[in-house]
Amino acid sequence: DFSGYKTMVVDSSYVLPSNRTMKGKAGVHLPQKGLIMLNADLMAENLGLSSENFFAMSLMHELVHAMTVKKINEYSSLSEEEKRIIDGLTALWKESKTKVKSIIDSMAFDAKRESLLTVYKMYLDSHPDNETASLKEFIAGVMTDPSLQDVLNGIRTKGGQSIWSKILSVLTDLISLINPDIKIDPDSVLANAVQNVLRLGKDIVP
C-alpha cells in the first residue's frame, strides 16, 4: 500500500537530509518522511530512454524499494508465506552475488570486466557492511535495471534455469505482498501481464 507516500520532482542541487545532493541520483526513497524524490535533471539527459520512460523506471524503482524496505524491516512479524518470499529472494541474491563475483575474478582487466564490476557493486554488493541494505537494492534493481537483468539472465542455476527466470517467478509472488487479496495463478493471463511489467526496465531500452 503506497497511499502514504508522496512524490517530489527536484533537481540535482536539491539537498537531502544526509546533506548530500541529488546529483547523479535518479531517485531517492526517504521512508522516514514517506517521500519518493525524482531528479528532473537526469530525466532531461540522454540516457537511452525517453523522459517519460525514465520517469516511470525511476518511480517504479523507488516504489519497489519502499515496499521491500517495509517488508524486510517487518520480517519478524510477516506471515509464513511472506517470509518464504523474502527468504527466496535472499537466497537468489546470495547465489547471484557469489556467481557474478566468480565471473569477475576470472575475467581479464578490460572494459567488460569494469562494466560487470559496476553492476556488481551497484546491486549485488552495494552495502558491503550491511546485507539487509544490499538485499533491498538488489530487489529494486532486478525489477528496473536492464544491465542487471541481462547479467542474471546469462547465469544458470543447477536446474538449468536462469537466475533471472527464477527471480521473475518469485517477484510475481512479491506483487501479492502489496495487497494480500491479490493471488496470481502462475498460468493465468494476469501472471503473464505481471511478468511483462517486471520486465519493463529491460523492454523499454532501445
Side-chain angles (χ1 to χ4, degrees):
D1 180 6
F2 301 116
S3 58
Y5 282 89
K6 294 181 179 180
T7 302
M8 287 181 60
V9 178
V10 297
D11 60 26
S12 295
S13 65
Y14 185 88
V15 180
L16 298 165
S18 62
N19 289 325
R20 297 180 179 180
T21 68
M22 285 287 290
K23 184 178 181 179
K25 299 179 183 295
V28 171
H29 164 227
L30 302 176
Q32 300 87 348
K33 297 180 176 293
L35 278 176
I36 290 174
M37 313 192 76
L38 302 176
N39 188 344
D41 287 343
L42 285 187
M43 293 176 201
E45 294 178 2
N46 181 14
L47 299 176
L49 300 166
S50 70
S51 59
E52 292 84 1
N53 283 338
F54 185 73
F55 182 94
M57 277 187 69
S58 300
L59 180 58
M60 181 180 175
H61 177 100
E62 299 308 329
L63 286 174
V64 173
H65 205 163
M67 180 179 69
T68 54
V69 165
K70 185 175 186 296
K71 292 298 180 180
I72 293 171
N73 287 345
E74 297 175 352
Y75 182 85
S76 61
S77 62
L78 297 180
S79 68
E80 290 304 311
E81 182 180 0
E82 290 173 327
K83 286 181 179 179
R84 177 185 62 78
I85 294 171
I86 297 301
D87 288 346
L89 288 170
T90 300
L92 287 169
W93 161 59
K94 289 183 176 181
E95 182 177 3
S96 302
K97 180 179 177 181
T98 298
K99 291 187 173 181
V100 172
K101 182 62 165 62
S102 178
I103 292 171
I104 291 171
D105 290 343
S106 69
M107 296 176 72
F109 286 84
D110 56 16
K112 288 185 177 180
R113 183 183 187 278
E114 285 302 310
S115 178
L116 185 56
L117 184 60
T118 297
V119 172
Y120 176 83
K121 290 180 177 180
M122 185 177 297
Y123 292 118
L124 297 171
D125 197 30
S126 58
H127 301 78
D129 299 323
N130 189 329
E131 285 196 353
T132 299
S134 286
L135 172 62
K136 294 170 187 173
E137 202 61 35
F138 171 73
I139 294 173
V142 296
M143 288 189 67
T144 59
D145 194 303
S147 298
L148 179 62
Q149 292 171 3
D150 285 341
V151 168
L152 298 179
N153 195 43
I155 299 175
R156 294 287 183 261
T157 60
K158 290 182 179 179
Q161 188 178 18
S162 73
I163 289 181
W164 169 243
S165 295
K166 292 183 72 172
I167 289 172
L168 274 182
S169 178
V170 178
L171 284 176
T172 300
D173 292 336
L174 182 61
I175 297 297
S176 68
L177 297 184
I178 301 174
N179 185 335
D181 294 329
I182 298 176
K183 300 296 180 184
I184 303 174
D185 183 333
D187 298 320
S188 68
V189 173
L190 177 57
N192 289 332
V194 169
Q195 291 197 2
N196 285 335
V197 169
L198 297 179
R199 293 187 180 96
L200 173 65
K202 181 175 181 178
D203 289 346
I204 63 178
V205 176

